[in-house]
Amino acid sequence: MLERPPPDMLDFSSLLLAAALSGVCLSVTMLAIWATAPQARFVLTVACGILVLVAHVILFWHYTREPDPLLCQVALALLSLGFLIICISAMQYLGVPDHRRAIAPTFAAMAICAAVTFMGLDGIGFVITYATVTALLSTIGAMFWINGSHDRRILLVVSFLSGTCALSFALCGVVLMTKGQWTLGVAPDNWAERLNSVVAVACMTGLGALTLSLHHLQAQIELKAETMTDPLTGLMNRRGLTSLYGERTFGPFMAIVMFDLDHFKRTNDIYGHPVGDQVLCRFAAVIRKYARTGVDAFRLGGEEFAIVMSRMTEERAYDLASKIGVAFGTEIVPTPLGPLRSTVSGGIGFGEADGSTLDEVLARADSMLYAAKRAGRNCVISRKGMDKADPVKSALRSA
């Protein structure tokens, strides 16, 4: 806990006030960032949490000079609440659902702390609060380390700072329990408290600064995702294909299937572009149904799609591509001119034993796709299936 030390030591009162001022400035900066990017809700939550901790610091500074039971209760409650809000911000950033898992235990601990402090056992109140803060900070560190999917170096620093701060609060509670100080009447004063004063300020300042870095990192990731995503279907686009596989070497068990919707220009001309968009989205939805580990889907442009498959034999690749074609043939798009069914043609290209580039495999798949078109459409062809281009099952009316 942050408190005033003996007169012959570092002026912790000045440290507390400086920490409060630093926290206010950091919160204002985060609020300004949130105002320009409202979708980054975790930044707003962090700013609110830091402001609550600033209020705690100010009240505790008053408590070290004029001890008052009510002031003690409020200061301890604000300490737990501030770290709870910061914990929730971590959940928001990492996409961890059900915030009640953190909220319910924290509020229960705050209620118990208020009750025992009201009965004069303020030492126990401090111990409960320290335990609560330790648990919240440990949870933050664990969540970032386990759930984080971004730059591991930043996540490691977040986990380290959270863990260090948690340890400093835990030491404060251990010292109070070891000394059996269940009733204090004043702010606790021992080596652990003074150590915590420095560690907590340093760690929270560092965590606040890292929040800005995480926001910048998240903004970069979202921008990159937008540039690699087709806005209509939600699949990755050609840029995404190049980004993921442009430097890869395609071996004999990696394949690309290129799909082209049959007579799609006629669909747009007869039914209109909005209906055409629906057809494209239906096909994208069909591809997603068959997506799994090792299968990535892309819209290359217009009515052209591709899937990249890893650890696939030619037979399995042909079977998967054919199932996609059959499933798409059963899709019905309602239109003012009546129900519309469409078909798709596909071509499969594989890598070679000595390795192939993305462009080489795309060229092979494109060659097989044109072979499927020449074979009458509504079929999938691979290099081994050139002599048996059987139409995809179900005689469905093409657009």
Side-chain angles (χ1 to χ4, degrees), residues 117-142:
T117 304
F118 177 77
M119 292 186 293
L121 300 174
D122 54 339
I124 297 179
F126 276 97
V127 171
I128 293 173
T129 300
Y130 291 150
T132 302
V133 172
T134 299
L136 290 170
L137 284 167
S138 300
T139 300
I140 292 172

Side-chain angles (χ1 to χ4, degrees), residues 73-128:
Q73 292 179 44
V74 176
L76 291 178
L78 289 177
L79 182 62
S80 296
L81 180 61
F83 281 106
L84 171 62
I85 295 174
I86 291 176
C87 183
I88 291 174
S89 75
M91 290 179 167
Q92 290 176 332
Y93 179 78
L94 297 171
V96 178
D98 194 7
H99 299 167
R100 291 175 297 178
R101 289 183 295 177
I103 295 174
T106 302
F107 273 94
M110 290 168 61
I112 296 172
C113 175
V116 297
T117 304
F118 177 77
M119 292 186 293
L121 300 174
D122 54 339
I124 297 179
F126 276 97
V127 171
I128 293 173

Side-chain angles (χ1 to χ4, degrees), residues 136-210:
L136 290 170
L137 284 167
S138 300
T139 300
I140 292 172
M143 285 193 303
F144 269 97
W145 187 245
I146 295 172
N147 299 316
S149 58
H150 305 327
D151 192 326
R152 300 302 297 183
R153 292 169 297 180
I154 295 180
L155 300 178
L156 175 61
V157 175
V158 173
S159 297
F160 173 76
L161 290 178
S162 299
T164 302
C165 195
L167 180 60
S168 71
F169 278 102
L171 287 174
C172 292
V174 169
V175 169
L176 288 178
M177 289 189 294
T178 302
K179 293 183 176 182
Q181 295 178 315
W182 313 125
T183 302
L184 296 172
V186 295
D189 181 16
N190 53 62
W191 64 268
E193 294 287 339
R194 292 191 288 274
L195 176 64
N196 174 258
S197 299
V198 178
V199 172
V201 170
C203 289
M204 292 312 301
T205 302
L207 286 172
L210 282 173

Side-chain angles (χ1 to χ4, degrees), residues 15-351:
L15 177 62
L16 287 176
L17 294 177
L21 179 60
S22 174
V24 170
C25 293
L26 187 58
S27 295
V28 171
T29 302
M30 291 182 178
L31 289 173
I33 292 175
W34 172 76
T36 61
Q39 70 276 11
R41 293 186 302 164
F42 84 98
V43 175
L44 173 63
T45 309
V46 172
C48 293
I50 292 177
L51 286 176
V52 172
L53 291 176
V54 167
H56 156 75
V57 169
I58 294 174
L59 286 181
F60 193 78
W61 178 74
H62 280 292
Y63 179 67
T64 59
R65 281 158 173 71
E66 299 178 10
D68 178 83
L70 180 59
L71 194 59
C72 178
Q73 292 179 44
V74 176
L76 291 178
L78 289 177
L79 182 62
S80 296
L81 180 61
F83 281 106
L84 171 62
I85 295 174
I86 291 176
C87 183
I88 291 174
S89 75
M91 290 179 167
Q92 290 176 332
Y93 179 78
L94 297 171
V96 178
D98 194 7
H99 299 167
R100 291 175 297 178
R101 289 183 295 177
I103 295 174
T106 302
F107 273 94
M110 290 168 61
I112 296 172
C113 175
V116 297
T117 304
F118 177 77
M119 292 186 293
L121 300 174
D122 54 339
I124 297 179
F126 276 97
V127 171
I128 293 173
T129 300
Y130 291 150
T132 302
V133 172
T134 299
L136 290 170
L137 284 167
S138 300
T139 300
I140 292 172
M143 285 193 303
F144 269 97
W145 187 245
I146 295 172
N147 299 316
S149 58
H150 305 327
D151 192 326
R152 300 302 297 183
R153 292 169 297 180
I154 295 180
L155 300 178
L156 175 61
V157 175
V158 173
S159 297
F160 173 76
L161 290 178
S162 299
T164 302
C165 195
L167 180 60
S168 71
F169 278 102
L171 287 174
C172 292
V174 169
V175 169
L176 288 178
M177 289 189 294
T178 302
K179 293 183 176 182
Q181 295 178 315
W182 313 125
T183 302
L184 296 172
V186 295
D189 181 16
N190 53 62
W191 64 268
E193 294 287 339
R194 292 191 288 274
L195 176 64
N196 174 258
S197 299
V198 178
V199 172
V201 170
C203 289
M204 292 312 301
T205 302
L207 286 172
L210 282 173
T211 299
L212 302 180
S213 298
L214 289 171
H215 167 66
H216 179 66
L217 179 62
Q218 186 181 52
Q220 285 184 317
I221 292 172
E222 290 175 353
L223 178 61
K224 184 178 180 180
E226 288 178 4
T227 62
M228 295 197 304
T229 302
D230 173 51
L232 176 63
T233 63
L235 297 179
M236 285 182 283
N237 57 20
R238 187 180 290 271
R239 185 191 297 268
L241 174 63
T242 303
S243 176
L244 289 179
Y245 292 99
E247 304 298 324
R248 291 281 297 272
T249 297
F250 286 72
F253 295 100
M254 285 189 70
I256 295 178
V257 184
M258 290 187 65
F259 291 103
D260 191 273
L261 273 60
D262 298 328
H263 304 298
F264 187 71
K265 185 178 183 303
R266 260 199 289 165
T267 298
N268 282 332
D269 292 342
I270 296 174
Y271 296 94
H273 288 279
V275 171
D277 289 347
Q278 289 186 53
V279 173
L280 293 172
C281 291
R282 288 292 182 91
F283 184 68
V286 170
I287 289 182
R288 284 196 190 90
K289 290 179 183 178
Y290 289 90
R292 59 178 185 270
T293 302
V295 178
D296 293 318
F298 306 85
R299 182 189 177 196
L300 303 183
E303 67 272 27
E304 200 169 59
F305 295 78
I307 58 173
V308 178
M309 299 183 287
S310 303
R311 300 182 297 279
M312 281 281 182
T313 62
E314 190 149 1
E315 290 73 16
R316 289 177 60 198
Y318 179 84
D319 182 60
L320 178 61
S322 298
K323 286 179 178 179
I324 290 173
V326 171
F328 178 61
T330 64
E331 293 287 323
I332 300 176
V333 177
T335 76
L337 301 179
L340 169 65
R341 290 184 178 182
S342 302
T343 59
V344 65
S345 301
I348 307 175
F350 268 84

